[in-house]
Every structure is written in structure tokens, then in C-alpha cells.
Amino acid sequence: MKKVRSVRAAAATLLALLAPAAAAQVSTPAPPAVAGAKAAVVERITVHGRSLEGSLEGDSADRTVLVVLPPSYRSSPKRRYPAVYALHGYSIGAEQWTREIHVPQTIEGAFAQGAREMIVVLPDSKTAHNGSMYSSSVTTGDFERFVARDLVAYIDSHYRTVADRNSRGLAGHSMGGYGTARIGMKHPETFGALYIMSPCCLSARTPGGDAAADEKTFAALRSPADSATLSWGQRAQLAAAAAWSPNPTKPPLFLDLPTENGQPRPEVVARWAANAPLAMVDQYVGNLRQYRAIGLDVGDRDGLKADAQTLHAALDRYGIRHDFAVYPGDHVSGVATRVQEQVIPFFSRALVFP
């Protein structure tokens, strides 16, 4: 009993962890348009992910991807460009992500202010429970490998990229910030620079609230698609469980919940902890040292600030060079401005251009 209580005391609620991402569905302010900015082209394509085939909850392996081509792409047919992959947050998809960060205006504005032109790729990773967590799971599909392998291979073969890790960046906000940290730690062979924005899910959590009542609600579901009827917090719990504690022998949801009869299940909490970047960072120091540059930021009124500061301290502890900023804002209020004023210029400096 003492062990169960210690697990409960050590873990905050998943809702508290992900709740700031709920604000990602509201309107966000755009930075002022930059005079003279040239127009980029946004292409909406579908990319088939072999890594996503056969997901137990039935998520499609064909993913919508938005590709932002720089102003000179069509007029300079022999020119090649670095590529930045930008990952959206929980409960939104690629289309909503473009509205949240005001694409293509912010990318055009960054180029007009002196950032070197690059291709920006925004994949959609919404699932039955509203988000993949960019993790490797038989239940949702291997979104980690989809981003690091399938998507990159497709973009390199269909667009004029510089197909080299030193000319390839990975960025993301909220759940996408988590994905950037997770994928970045594991795949330095693919990416050369990282920018982690207001990352969620850095530390291990278990659901709070009335866990026993939630278990009964989940038990009544007849398919993963039925989670569309649930509350935002309940869907977030299922998304995390599908990503971090999949169970191929437990239909219809194919996952293990981190509680049973309202009590934490330490063995499942341990599986969630194994997917927490703050628990992973010690294992991937050598990989992180391979990056040309790492950026990390968070708003001063963001509920995720403490974990971002802890990641910053961990990188400092190992002497891993990185830029860290706490800027005025909450979880989403400054994200569009950060894309224009910080993220695109960061990659303009960090990546290798032909």
C-alpha cells in the first residue's frame, strides 16, 4: 500500500500536464505583417507511412502533410533547400496548426526579415484519441519512425531538399515539442538541429480526478472512435495510454490504463515514465551532443514552464550547448511570433545551406 501511495504522490495529473494544449484550439495573435514579404506556396499532399500500417485502433497510414515552399522555389528550379519539419500539438491537426502559427505569413515574414529560405513541412498526426504523442506504438502506429524515416524519405524524393542531416531541422510545440525532444534524442542521424517549443509530457504522470469513474466510462466504449464522445481530458488520457502503454491483447482500445479501481498501477506508470524525456535524457547524451544547435523556449505564464526549465538544467548539467528562453506569454499567446522572430531565424543560422 505504501508503494501505491508513493506512486500517487509522485505523479501529478495527466490533465494538468496536457491542459495548456487545450488553449491551442483558440485564436492566437499574429505578428505584424512584414512589408515587402514575398509569397510562399503551401501544398497539401498525402504521404503514406509504412510505419503506420496496421495500427490496432484503425488510424490511417495515409497522412495529410502541408508543405510550405519558399518564394524562390518555382523561379529557381535548380536550387535546393534545407527542410524543417514542424510538429503540431495535442488535439489539433496540421490545418489547425497552420492557423495557430499563422502560416504562411510568419514564414514569409521571417524570410523578408533576412532568414534564409527553407522548406517547412507540417505533418498531421491526429489519431482516434486526438493525438499520437509522436510515439512508437502498435495501437496508434509508429509515428516516431514515420516522422524520422517515412516522411523525410518522401519529402527528399519529391522536393528539392538538401538530403543531409545537417540541412534538416525538427521543431514542434506542446505535444509537438514533446515529439521533437523524443525523436531528436533518438534520431540524430536524421536531423541536425532541434527547436523545442513549450513541450508537454516531459515528466511521467498519471491521471487524477475520479479515476474509477473514468475507468467505467472507458469500459463502456465499443471502439476507439467512440472516444469522440468523451471530454477533452478523458481523450488525453486515452491518447497517452494508446501511445505509452499499448496492449495488443485488450480490444477494443488495445491499451492498459495507468489506474485500476481508481488506484495507480505502478507497472503501467513505469511504462509511461520510460517515455518521458526527462527520464530519457541521461541515456541519449551522446546523441544530443551531435546536434549543430538546440533551441528550447516556454512562456512565463505557461503551466509547462517548470518542466522546460528542468530540461534546460539537464542539458546544462551535461554541457550540451543549447539556447533557452522564457518569454512573456502563456502556452499559445506567443507561438506565432516565436515562429517568425525566433524559430525560422534559428534554423537559418543552424542548418547548412548549399
Side-chain angles (χ1 to χ4, degrees):
M1 186 66 176
K2 182 178 179 181
K3 184 177 182 181
V4 171
R5 280 198 298 266
S6 67
V7 170
R8 174 179 282 173
T13 68
L14 178 67
L15 184 57
L17 179 72
L18 281 174
Q25 299 179 73
V26 303
S27 297
T28 56
V34 178
K38 296 180 180 178
V41 175
V42 181
E43 294 191 347
R44 189 180 191 274
I45 64 173
T46 300
V47 176
H48 181 79
R50 293 187 61 186
S51 302
L52 305 179
E53 293 176 351
S55 76
L56 295 177
E57 67 182 21
D59 296 309
S60 176
D62 295 321
R63 311 306 302 186
T64 296
V65 178
L66 302 178
V67 182
V68 183
L69 300 175
S72 68
Y73 190 85
R74 298 281 170 79
S75 60
S76 302
K78 295 184 178 181
R79 182 175 173 182
R80 290 190 171 271
Y81 300 81
V84 171
Y85 294 78
L87 310 180
H88 65 76
Y90 178 75
S91 82
I92 64 171
E95 298 281 0
Q96 290 168 289
W97 177 218
T98 63
R99 293 193 290 273
E100 179 179 298
I101 57 175
H102 296 273
V103 165
Q105 177 191 323
T106 50
I107 295 174
E108 295 165 347
F111 295 157
Q113 292 179 142
R116 304 177 75 177
E117 290 188 357
M118 63 196 76
I119 296 169
V120 181
V121 182
L122 302 95
D124 192 293
S125 78
K126 283 194 82 170
T127 60
H129 306 310
N130 249 352
S132 70
M133 314 308 292
Y134 300 101
S135 298
S136 300
S137 164
V138 297
T139 300
T140 61
D142 192 342
F143 275 86
E144 177 185 312
R145 188 177 180 87
F146 169 71
V147 172
R149 299 290 178 84
D150 300 350
L151 179 59
V152 167
Y154 183 94
I155 296 299
D156 281 347
S157 64
H158 288 76
Y159 293 92
R160 297 195 313 276
T161 63
V162 181
D164 183 272
R165 67 173 294 271
N166 292 314
S167 299
R168 200 179 289 127
L170 181 65
H173 176 260
S174 194
M175 182 184 78
Y178 166 83
T180 300
R182 176 195 178 99
I183 296 171
M185 286 182 188
K186 295 185 177 185
H187 294 282
E189 78 285 354
T190 302
F191 302 102
L194 308 173
Y195 201 107
I196 304 165
M197 307 175 73
S198 306
C200 83
C201 317
L202 294 182
S203 55
R205 313 286 174 128
T206 53
D210 193 341
D214 285 341
E215 290 169 33
K216 292 180 181 178
T217 298
F218 299 152
L221 299 178
R222 294 294 174 260
S223 73
D226 289 346
S227 76
T229 65
L230 303 182
S231 71
W232 185 94
Q234 289 171 326
R235 296 188 79 183
Q237 292 183 45
L238 292 179
W244 301 332
S245 51
N247 188 336
T249 68
K250 289 186 67 174
L253 301 183
F254 301 103
L255 54 82
D256 287 327
L257 295 172
T259 62
E260 187 172 29
N261 298 321
Q263 300 298 310
R265 300 173 61 189
E267 72 279 9
V268 178
V269 173
R271 292 162 69 187
W272 286 30
N275 288 275
L278 288 176
M280 296 161 56
V281 65
D282 305 293
Q283 306 168 53
Y284 294 104
V285 170
N287 285 358
L288 288 167
R289 284 180 173 154
Q290 295 181 46
Y291 283 96
R292 299 174 58 84
I294 297 174
L296 171 63
D297 69 20
V298 68
D300 60 0
R301 301 190 307 279
D302 193 332
L304 303 176
K305 182 177 72 171
D307 272 359
Q309 291 174 319
T310 302
L311 178 58
H312 161 57
L315 296 176
D316 266 355
R317 184 166 64 248
Y318 283 111
I320 297 169
R321 291 181 300 173
H322 66 288
D323 300 327
F324 176 62
V326 177
Y327 61 88
D330 56 28
H331 189 61
V332 296
S333 63
V335 63
T337 298
R338 296 297 291 182
V339 167
Q340 177 173 298
E341 304 296 334
Q342 302 296 330
V343 178
I344 299 299
F346 167 88
F347 287 114
S348 176
R349 298 188 301 270
L351 297 181
V352 173
F353 286 71

